[in-house]
Each structure stands twice: as structure tokens, then as C-alpha cells.
Amino acid sequence: MTAMPLLPTAFADFEPFAETWCLGTERERWDRRMSSSIDELQTFYDAVLPRVQEAIEYCDQVPLDDMPDDTVNLLRLIYSFVIVSFPVELWRQPYVPDTLGTSFDRISEPLP
Amino acid sequence: MFRLDARAMPVSERTHMARYPKPAEGSWTEHYPELGTDTISYEDSTSPEYYELEREAIFKRAWLQVGRLEQIPRTGSFFTKNIAATDTSVIIVRDGEDVRAFHNVCRHRGNRLVWQDYPREEISGTTRQFTCKYHGWRYGLDGACTFAQQEGEFFNFDRAEYGLVPVHCDVFSGFVFVNFAEQPSQTLREFLGPMLLGIEGYPFDQMTDRYAFRVECRANWKVFSDAFMEFYHAPVVHVGQHPSQLRAAITEMGYEAPHYQIDGPHGLITTAGSLHRVWEMPPENVKPADIATRSGLFGPWNKSDLGELPPGINPGKIQPWGLSSFQFFPNFAILIWEAGWYNTHQFWPTSHNTVIFEGNVYSLPAKSASERVGREMAAVSFKEYSLQDANTLEATQMGLEAGVIDQFPLNDQEVLVRNFHKVVGDWVHEHRRERLRG
């Protein structure tokens, strides 16, 4: 764990995942998902799921265009939860079954 | 109406296909008698020679969508679009209220005019003028040549004769279209026709939260487009997007659209909204992440308030309405969803068996983190199922290229596929006849 926490103190229990999953773009999140094992994805998903709605409500307290860094990190961690939910809830493996011959790159997205 | 709950679904409803009335002729296909009901050949999708004909007959004659006005918000804003099918790159530039298109070629010695670092890649930006990287010739936003390096050294030279080569350009509902014909045989509005003009008034201009995707795939551009003109494949290719306990019932139920429409070369497929109302389903049949984000395969659950919408977005008056997928011939589609968002698909051939697939997901600007998370879930879902389509279509292309089958049956849910290949054939045929006539 880093010396300085990345996330709001209210979400200190997510801190062990912050360095791995607070990623700024979908491309980074996708790459992280694809290079993780399904067990790693499951562990992250299980840790976040019980408090994800609470985390979204926390982010809702500040405007999107004026978010403190720790809240932006929390939002990015929620995005990672979203992209990890598919392998955990549906595929039981990091990638979408029968799709290894192709890719579909996200080239732009709203920030944060 | 049926619920997506396998246990609650009576067997008769799961297996009986005619859930929606068909036209008086008995089928959507026979409602358009010029389509016929025969098997079709896919030679149009495996032949390099046929692709060469399509480039001339279709991509150099049809109006092609290249982007949105929001990409060029002020005077001097521009983007380039590379179109392999016409061997061109075009510059789209804003000058006050005018939107102009030019071939991206310097008039001096033919250098590609606007690019950065990689000549093959598209760029966007804002400029007062375009300056050629080779010999420094300059052009205004109106395309006029404003400067030729060492002008006095040329012979019989009049700079006014060396403006950029214009491309026909027009805008519909904020979508920028170009046409490479010397003189297009129809205006953009004539080409689009009443069905597509019917979506005018939808607030596309306000929906500026954009998630953009792109990939080059190894499939013919029509083989790729086909999969986005029918949902017959959805309960098979995409069934895994649903919780496992529902999958068998969804596949068994199959897919039926309540409304199809064909207007000139263009098509429309409407999907009913009964499956989209995920929040009405028993929670054990909904993915936990969908519940947490109040979003999923069909978009955010909290509907965006877009005000009153033009009736043309649901011309079949289907209730409950799910989405309308408007197919703009030859290679563009707009899908308008009941939940208040839309997405686009576009298919740019780069050879007879390769295609660039571009997808965009658009919404109103998110006002809060929870809205942004809902849009993220919709955008991630879009990628998960688009990957399933893209990979399957590479497999289809390989199967077709094996050349062992020369006729393929199409069912009534594939009526737009049938129409699409027929229209392509008609345009190619017409172009050949014109050439023979000289």
C-alpha cells in the first residue's frame, strides 16, 4: 500500500485495490482486466459490490467538473468494478468468450 | 407482452413465434414484392472485382456520413476523414455557419495537406488556414489558395486557379455528409427520403457525452453490416449477456421485430421494449452490477428527459417501444433507444474482405457521478456485445470465402439484409449500364 491514501477515508477498505484499479481510461481498465486472473477479478468484485451504491452516492455529492482527486479515484474504481462485473457475473473468465480474434478500442470518452 | 422470467413464461408463448402482426401479405418480405423470397448469393461479399465496382457505383455516388457538427464547434474547427473505398481523405471545416469539405490534397504537387506525425491517421483541430508541410502553400477556410512559396518562379501562374478541390457536403440533424460525385444525382434530403427525415427534431445536438470505438476487422463491409440489420442472431450470439438461468428460455424464444420499414435504399427495424424494462424483473434475474449502477445492456434505467420527440423515431407506433435502428444506405446506422440515448454504427470497407467498424454511444451530458456511471455501464455493455458481433463476422467471412455454398436462405427477420444486398446489386448494375452507355 502507498503511504498516501488514494481514496476518501470513508472507503479505506478499497485502498488495497486502489493502485491496481484506479485507472483513468477504459483502455487501461480493459488491459488490466485482460491481464488479471478470474480469481483476482472475483476478489476485487466481491470487495466492491457490497458498497458500490454507497460509493456512487459519495461521488454524487460533488460536481463532476470539480471533483477532488480522491473522489475521482473512487469514481475510476467504480468504472473498474463495471468492467470487471462482466467476467465475474457472466463469462467466468477475463475475456468475452469467442472474441479473441478481434478487439474494439475505445478511442474517446467523457472525463472524469 | 411477456416477461423475461423463464419460470413465468408459458411454453406456448416461448415457442410461438408470431407475437406481432405481420403485414397483410403474410410477411414483411412479401410486403415489399420487389425483394422476392429466393435464396441469395454472397458472391458480392467475397469478390475483389465486385468490391471495385462497389467503390465506383456506391461510395463515389452515395451521400456518406462522416461526423457530427459538435466535432467542429467554431470557425476554423476541422477534422479529416480517410475513406479507403474512394482512395481519399477529406477535410471537413467550419467557417461561420458554413460547413465545407475539401479533398485533403495540396494543389501544388499532391501532398496530403492536413496530417500530423502519421500521414495515414485522421486528425482534428482548429486553425486559421491550412499550410502544406511540403512547400508551404497555404489555403483559407474557404479553400482558396492564399500563398504559394516563391510564386514568381512559376509560369503563367494564377493562384486563384489553385484552390482546394471541393467535395459536395451537406448537414442533416447535425450529421455531416459528403458526396464524391461530380454532380450528385440527388440532394442529401432527396437521398435520405421521408423515413429518415422523420427523425429530424431529435435532440442529437444536445447529446454530447460520447463514447467512441473503432476497430478494423477481417470481414466484407456488407457481411459486417448484415449483423446490425437483424436481431435474429441476438438470442444466440448475445445470449451470454443475460444471467445464466435465463439463457435457455431466451434462445428458445427467439427474436421477432414488431416493425420493419423500407424506404428507398434505407431500412428501419424497431424492437419492442418489453425486454428492456429490466427494473420490472425479479431481482434474481438481473445482474447485480446492473442493479448497483441502474443500467445495463439496454442503457441507463433512469430515462433521460429529452422533451417531446418527433413521431418519426417510432413510425410503427410500437408500444412498449424499445429502439429504432435506422439504416442509412450504404454504411451508417443510428439506433435511437427508448431510455433516451442513441448510438451509431458505421462500416468503412478497406478492401473486399476488411472493414473499419466505428461505434459511438451518445447521451445528454451527465449531471452527476451516478449518471456518468450508468453511461459507463451502457458503453461497456456496447463493447462486450460488439466484440461478439465482430469476432463472429470474421468467422462468417471465412466460411463464405470457402466457396462451398453458393445460395443462402434468408428469413423474414432478415428482410433488411435481403433489401441491403439487393440495393447494392441494383446500384452496381445501374452503374455498369451507365458505363456501357458511355
Side-chain angles (χ1 to χ4, degrees):
Chain A
M1 204 187 290
T2 49
M4 285 288 289
L6 293 170
L7 295 167
T9 47
F11 294 91
D13 49 330
F14 293 170
E15 200 63 40
F17 301 99
E19 223 173 319
T20 313
W21 289 110
C22 295
L23 301 170
T25 65
E26 186 269 354
R27 192 171 282 216
E28 292 167 272
R29 296 189 287 271
W30 180 264
D31 290 346
R32 183 59 50 82
R33 163 178 152 182
M34 293 293 271
S35 61
S36 301
S37 70
I38 188 64
D39 291 340
E40 288 167 332
L41 300 178
Q42 183 82 51
T43 303
F44 171 60
Y45 174 92
D46 288 344
V48 176
L49 178 65
R51 295 191 69 197
V52 64
Q53 275 162 312
E54 199 188 326
I56 294 169
E57 283 161 21
Y58 182 92
C59 295
D60 268 345
Q61 293 169 16
V62 284
L64 277 170
D65 57 4
D66 192 24
M67 271 191 173
D69 288 351
D70 61 354
T71 314
V72 170
N73 281 334
L74 183 61
L75 185 58
R76 289 173 173 176
L77 187 123
I78 297 165
Y79 293 158
S80 286
F81 167 79
V82 169
I83 209 166
V84 162
S85 71
F86 285 79
V88 171
E89 294 178 350
L90 299 175
W91 314 130
R92 306 307 310 151
Q93 58 184 31
Y95 61 92
V96 188
D98 293 338
T99 66
L100 285 186
T102 189
S103 59
F104 197 41
D105 302 325
R106 194 191 282 190
I107 54 176
S108 76
E109 59 202 338
L111 297 174
Chain B
M1 176 166 161
F2 52 91
R3 297 285 289 276
L4 214 167
D5 178 350
R7 291 159 307 173
M9 209 182 291
V11 172
S12 59
E13 201 157 357
R14 275 188 265 157
T15 52
H16 180 59
M17 278 302 291
R19 285 192 289 271
Y20 304 107
K22 299 248 188 184
E25 296 84 353
S27 69
W28 295 101
T29 309
E30 290 159 297
H31 183 60
Y32 299 99
E34 65 279 11
L35 297 180
T37 54
D38 292 343
T39 55
I40 73 162
S41 160
Y42 263 91
E43 257 183 274
D44 66 359
S45 301
T46 56
S47 153
E49 295 76 27
Y50 198 85
Y51 172 59
E52 291 305 316
L53 293 169
E54 290 175 336
R55 297 171 70 171
E56 296 297 323
I58 296 168
F59 287 92
K60 291 190 181 171
R61 294 171 66 199
W63 286 95
L64 305 171
Q65 198 278 151
V66 291
R68 282 210 47 87
L69 276 186
E70 291 75 39
Q71 295 169 250
I72 41 171
R74 59 192 74 84
T75 290
S77 304
F78 71 91
F79 63 87
T80 64
K81 181 76 199 164
N82 300 341
I83 302 174
T86 54
D87 290 321
T88 48
S89 168
V90 286
I91 308 166
I92 309 295
V93 60
R94 181 82 166 249
D95 187 4
E97 288 307 299
D98 292 330
V99 177
R100 300 199 182 96
F102 301 102
H103 283 283
N104 188 6
V105 181
C106 178
R107 284 298 304 274
H108 170 223
R109 260 167 59 201
N111 190 33
R112 180 164 285 188
L113 181 64
V114 180
W115 53 276
Q116 192 179 324
D117 295 333
Y118 301 97
R120 290 171 192 279
E121 290 190 5
E122 297 169 353
I123 67 163
S124 60
T126 302
T127 190
R128 267 187 256 175
Q129 60 191 355
F130 299 108
T131 303
C132 183
K133 292 177 189 289
Y134 199 176
H135 302 96
W137 284 37
R138 297 202 288 265
Y139 303 88
L141 302 181
D142 60 356
C145 180
T146 55
F147 175 79
Q149 175 86 355
Q150 292 165 251
E151 188 174 329
E153 303 223 36
F154 287 92
F155 304 93
N156 305 316
F157 183 78
D158 179 1
R159 189 156 34 84
E161 291 173 9
Y162 289 90
L164 296 177
V165 179
V167 176
H168 294 279
C169 178
D170 204 349
V171 178
F172 167 69
S173 285
F175 293 98
V176 181
F177 287 77
V178 296
N179 190 309
F180 291 103
E182 232 165 272
Q183 194 52 54
S185 61
Q186 291 177 300
T187 65
L188 174 61
R189 296 185 73 87
E190 286 167 354
F191 173 73
L192 295 177
M195 183 181 77
L196 296 181
L197 293 178
I199 66 174
E200 197 161 32
Y202 187 84
F204 296 107
D205 58 332
Q206 296 170 36
M207 303 176 72
T208 51
D209 261 11
R210 173 185 178 218
Y211 298 81
F213 301 83
R214 185 181 193 276
V215 68
E216 184 161 10
C217 289
R218 287 162 294 187
N220 178 271
W221 67 284
K222 298 185 300 302
V223 169
F224 214 93
S225 307
D226 285 350
F228 297 82
M229 293 188 181
E230 50 92 354
F231 293 110
Y232 170 55
H233 73 277
V236 181
V237 171
H238 304 307
V239 73
Q241 305 279 352
H242 300 278
S244 56
Q245 68 272 23
L246 300 179
R247 292 176 190 168
I250 286 171
T251 304
E252 190 184 347
M253 195 164 65
Y255 175 82
E256 190 183 341
H259 185 71
Y260 291 98
Q261 203 168 316
I262 290 169
D263 182 19
H266 316 291
L268 161 69
I269 175 171
T270 299
T271 277
S274 27
L275 287 176
H276 295 215
R277 306 178 71 82
V278 183
W279 53 91
E280 291 180 354
M281 290 175 29
E284 66 272 20
N285 283 345
V286 184
K287 293 189 294 155
D290 290 16
I291 295 170
T293 59
R294 296 188 57 76
S295 183
L297 192 55
F298 306 114
W301 295 359
N302 298 342
K303 187 175 170 176
S304 287
D305 181 13
L306 302 178
E308 199 180 332
L309 298 176
I313 62 171
N314 180 13
K317 300 184 172 62
I318 301 306
Q319 294 300 338
W321 175 56
L323 72 89
S324 291
S325 172
F326 292 91
Q327 308 286 328
F328 289 60
F329 186 79
N331 70 334
F332 181 58
I334 300 176
L335 285 75
I336 299 178
W337 297 69
E338 194 271 342
W341 58 290
Y342 79 98
N343 73 277
T344 62
H345 300 137
Q346 197 151 22
F347 314 102
W348 293 106
T350 50
S351 76
H352 77 283
N353 60 5
T354 53
V355 62
I356 291 171
F357 171 32
E358 295 173 337
N360 290 285
V361 178
Y362 295 93
S363 312
L364 291 178
K367 295 188 296 291
S368 63
S370 49
E371 286 191 358
R372 186 56 62 70
V373 170
R375 286 152 172 66
E376 179 71 20
M377 174 54 94
V380 171
S381 300
F382 177 68
K383 174 166 173 165
E384 302 278 317
Y385 67 74
S386 295
L387 280 167
Q388 293 178 316
D389 288 315
N391 210 58
T392 303
L393 298 168
E394 293 205 348
T396 305
Q397 185 69 26
M398 287 189 286
L400 293 173
E401 288 182 2
V404 292
I405 301 170
D406 59 6
Q407 289 294 313
F408 300 85
L410 295 179
N411 70 41
D412 204 31
Q413 304 299 327
E414 295 166 305
V415 59
L416 298 186
V417 174
R418 186 184 291 278
N419 183 60
F420 178 48
H421 286 262
K422 179 182 183 300
V423 172
V424 167
D426 290 348
W427 280 50
V428 166
H429 181 69
E430 180 62 26
H431 175 67
R432 273 173 165 160
R433 269 193 2 198
E434 279 174 18
R435 272 209 317 205
L436 286 175
R437 276 195 231 115

